[in-house]
Amino acid sequence: MTEQIRENYFGVARIMMILALEIYIAIMQSDLAGTSGRMLLLLALFLGSVAGREALPRSSQWIAVLAAGGVMGVMIAQYGPAYSMLGMVLAYESISCFSLRNSGWYLAPLLLACIPTDIHIGIRLLVCLFLGLIYFQQNMVIAVYRSRMREDICREQSLKENIHQKEIAWREELRRSVLAAENQMLEEKESLSQTLHDRLGHNMNGSIYQLEAVKILMEQDIESSRGMIQAVIESLRTGMDEIRTILRRERPRKHKLALMQLKQLCEECCRMGVEASLLTEGEIENIPERYLEIVMDNAFEAVSNALKYAKCTRIEIKIYVMNKMLRCSVTDNGIGCGEIIDGMGISGMRKRMRSANGILDFNTDMGFSVNMLLPLEK
């Protein structure tokens, strides 16, 4: 059955029922071969009026029903009360035309079936019940189902649009967060440069001046020159110790910045109506910066996919730093995935993990989980 027939099957079935009923009445009233052309014309007008009702605007459909009623009245007047059976069709057409939703209306045409005619009352009642069943199914079951389906489609489109708007807002917020993080990194670099200049600049300049003086005094006063060289050595050693101290103090800030970005990501998910949490165990400062970037990029990609496709209400980001391994997982409680298709996002995750000899795994048993395992280099 083609799609067009599925959509219009009731119209086709309705025409076939009316045509069969007209032929039956004509046969019962007279020999079909002897039926006058005028009768056939009236039957055709009745069929055309009823069949053409649905082609008219809803506000004008009553005209077609009224026209069919006039044709039926002429046939009853000229050819007998047997054609009053067509009134059952008009009754159901009227119910459809005026969208009468009370199921009791579908029993009203049974009164027309009780009008005495040459056709047996059992047949009239059977035809009426058959017509009522078909019209009831169309108007009270299928029409309601289609109406609800249209509402569901509209609601689904509205939800998709809402999700799309939220995704745009989320990406914009993410972009602002990245810019803020980059600005913070620039400020930290500037702070580091200023610290190195303030703490070591004068020290280095003093050492240079002392070495210049040693160059002049080396042949004249060897003992003083040795003392000055030793002082320069001590000063440079102190400067190197200060450099190491500053770098050790500055290094954890990058890891703190990464955790801050992940926390901001969780907060943004919460603002979108999805509960999100970040759990860390172990020494985050032991994660190499290259691995930290891989975990960050893959976590952002996994959360973005969960918001777009998973229909989830909760997302969990977990980072475990062990002695020799780094394990990270991003899990949601959404609809899961029957088949994993490597799009640009997942392909990018795989590529980043391969570059670090890591393992990437997906779990779809309950929701969707992205699991990353990276060896910590010693």
Side-chain angles (χ1 to χ4, degrees), residues 150-195:
R150 285 193 295 268
E151 291 176 0
D152 291 341
I153 292 174
C154 292
R155 192 159 41 242
E156 181 180 359
Q157 291 175 345
S158 177
L159 288 174
K160 286 182 178 179
E161 181 65 22
N162 189 26
I163 291 174
H164 180 66
Q165 294 297 331
K166 287 185 177 180
E167 181 184 356
I168 293 175
W170 176 76
R171 290 189 178 277
E172 181 63 22
E173 182 65 24
L174 182 61
R175 185 185 67 82
R176 287 194 293 267
S177 299
V178 171
L179 289 176
E182 291 176 351
N183 289 335
Q184 185 171 352
M185 291 179 65
L186 291 175
E187 290 175 1
E188 290 183 353
K189 288 181 179 179
E190 183 179 357
S191 175
L192 177 60
S193 300
Q194 188 66 40
T195 302

Side-chain angles (χ1 to χ4, degrees), residues 340-352:
I340 299 175
I341 301 175
D342 279 18
M344 293 183 63
I346 292 181
S347 297
M349 284 195 253
R350 293 189 190 277
K351 184 177 179 180
R352 286 189 285 269

Side-chain angles (χ1 to χ4, degrees), residues 200-324:
L200 301 177
H202 299 296
N203 191 338
M204 297 296 293
N205 285 332
S207 298
I208 291 172
Y209 293 149
Q210 285 182 313
L211 289 174
E212 292 288 345
V214 169
K215 186 171 64 173
I216 296 173
L217 297 174
M218 186 177 294
E219 296 179 358
Q220 300 176 3
D221 190 346
I222 296 177
E223 290 300 323
S224 296
S225 299
R226 287 177 177 174
M228 294 175 68
I229 290 174
Q230 185 63 39
V232 170
I233 292 173
E234 294 298 329
S235 178
L236 292 176
R237 283 177 177 171
T238 302
M240 287 300 298
D241 290 339
E242 288 185 356
I243 290 175
R244 293 190 184 98
T245 300
I246 292 172
L247 292 179
R248 278 197 299 270
R249 188 173 64 249
E250 294 295 326
R251 183 184 176 190
R253 292 186 182 179
K254 296 181 179 180
H255 295 78
K256 291 180 181 178
L257 181 61
L259 291 178
M260 181 189 71
Q261 288 179 301
L262 289 175
K263 289 179 180 178
Q264 288 179 344
L265 178 63
C266 293
E267 291 174 0
E268 181 60 27
C269 291
C270 292
R271 283 194 290 270
M272 297 175 65
V274 177
E275 183 182 355
S277 61
L278 171 64
L279 174 65
T280 61
E281 289 187 10
E283 298 295 330
I284 301 297
E285 291 78 9
N286 292 338
I287 303 176
E289 293 181 7
R290 184 165 66 97
Y291 288 5
L292 192 62
E293 292 177 359
I294 292 174
V295 169
M296 290 284 294
D297 291 340
N298 285 359
F300 272 81
E301 181 65 33
V303 171
S304 177
N305 288 340
L307 293 175
K308 288 169 62 177
Y309 307 115
K311 300 180 181 179
C312 59
T313 59
R314 178 168 178 78
I315 298 175
E316 292 182 347
I317 304 174
K318 298 179 181 178
I319 300 176
Y320 301 97
V321 183
M322 297 172 279
N323 290 333
K324 296 184 179 181

Side-chain angles (χ1 to χ4, degrees), residues 3-19:
E3 185 68 24
Q4 186 176 5
I5 294 177
R6 277 198 297 268
E7 290 295 325
N8 300 288
Y9 85 96
F10 175 69
V12 175
R14 187 164 56 103
I15 294 173
M16 297 301 295
M17 287 188 302
I18 297 171
L19 183 60

Side-chain angles (χ1 to χ4, degrees), residues 57-124:
R58 178 162 292 276
S59 59
S60 303
Q61 290 185 2
W62 63 272
I63 299 176
V65 176
L66 188 62
V71 175
M72 184 189 69
V74 173
M75 287 190 290
I76 293 174
Q78 293 191 3
Y79 302 106
Y83 288 91
S84 62
M85 285 186 65
L86 298 176
M88 295 184 294
V89 175
L90 285 182
Y92 288 120
E93 287 291 318
S94 300
I95 293 172
S96 301
C97 176
F98 295 104
S99 301
L100 302 177
R101 296 302 180 187
N102 191 331
S103 57
W105 286 103
Y106 289 86
L107 299 176
L110 290 173
L111 298 175
L112 296 175
C114 296
I115 297 176
T117 65
D118 296 338
I119 300 174
H120 193 274
I121 188 173
I123 296 177
R124 297 198 303 271

